[in-house]
Structure formats: C-alpha cells, structure tokens
Amino acid sequence: MNVVQFLLILANTLMLVSGQFLWKYGLMQRAKPFESLRTILELMFSPYIMGGLFIYGCATVLWLFIVSKVDLSLAYPIQSLAYIISIIGAYYLFGESLSALKIIGCLLILAGVACIGLSARYA
C-alpha cells in the first residue's frame, strides 16, 4: 500500500465519521424523533440526515475504488481509525466523556492498526 492509498482510506474514514456526526446532530435537533411515523419521515428528510446519507453514499463509492486497489485485509482494519476519530470528535463536538479507558482503547486500536500495516510490509 502506498501513501495515496492510505490517504484515500483515511478520507473514506473521515467521510464515514462525518456522516455519523451529521446524523447525531440531526437527531439532537429533534425532541422526539421516533415518536410517530410523521416525525420519523421529517427526521429522514432533514438536511443533516440527508447530508449524512449523501456523504455515506460518496464514501461507499470511494470504498469500492479502494478495495479494487488495496487488499481488504489491510484496508478494512485501517478504517478502525474511525473509532478514534469519533471518540475525539464526540468529545469536542457533543461534549461526550473522554475517560482513561477510552484513551487506552484508542491506543490499543492504534497499536493493532500499526501491527497490521507492518505485517503487509514484512509479508
């Protein structure tokens, strides 16, 4: 895997997390988003939910390109960086907690991704 491929995977991961953040923000704008069929339909057609779906769609097209060029066993684990990005983003954007265990978990994910990345180099 080269630098461009890694950056494409990172871009894909950022797109997925961005879509999730839009969904979360869209849900936060509604008091009872799942109260009735009407509120669900209103939610589904809100700009934030639609924007998140659009970004997810674009990410899917990019992912198809990525897996046509990169081994899935290498590309997919790198997407686990989404866990780290989402935890950090949720802390800053939504005021969610950031505990020592979450930080340790992030470090373990980074270590795992590094091991998988290195395994491709030494295989």
Side-chain angles (χ1 to χ4, degrees), residues 5-121:
Q5 291 169 334
F6 177 79
L7 291 175
L8 288 173
I9 296 168
L10 185 59
N12 179 263
T13 303
L14 290 171
M15 290 169 73
L16 294 173
V17 173
S18 297
Q20 293 282 337
F21 286 166
L22 283 173
W23 291 344
K24 173 73 173 175
Y25 187 76
L27 286 164
M28 291 172 60
Q29 304 306 303
R30 312 262 176 188
K32 296 181 180 179
F34 298 100
E35 184 175 47
S36 67
L37 182 58
R38 180 176 179 254
T39 61
I40 293 170
L41 289 173
E42 288 173 353
L43 175 69
M44 293 308 297
F45 290 101
S46 76
Y48 300 108
I49 302 301
M50 295 295 288
L53 288 170
F54 176 77
I55 291 172
Y56 250 64
C58 293
T60 299
V61 173
L62 178 56
W63 183 248
L64 293 173
F65 175 77
I66 290 166
V67 297
S68 74
K69 306 290 181 192
V70 180
D71 289 347
L72 186 62
S73 63
L74 183 58
Y76 197 74
I78 293 171
Q79 273 196 329
S80 64
L81 295 174
Y83 295 115
I84 298 168
I85 297 165
S86 66
I87 288 171
I88 294 167
Y91 172 77
Y92 285 107
L93 296 173
F94 303 117
E96 295 184 11
S97 68
L98 185 61
S99 67
L101 282 176
K102 286 182 183 178
I103 293 169
I104 291 169
C106 288
L107 293 173
L108 289 171
I109 290 169
L110 279 174
V113 170
C115 288
I116 291 168
L118 289 172
S119 73
R121 177 178 267 172

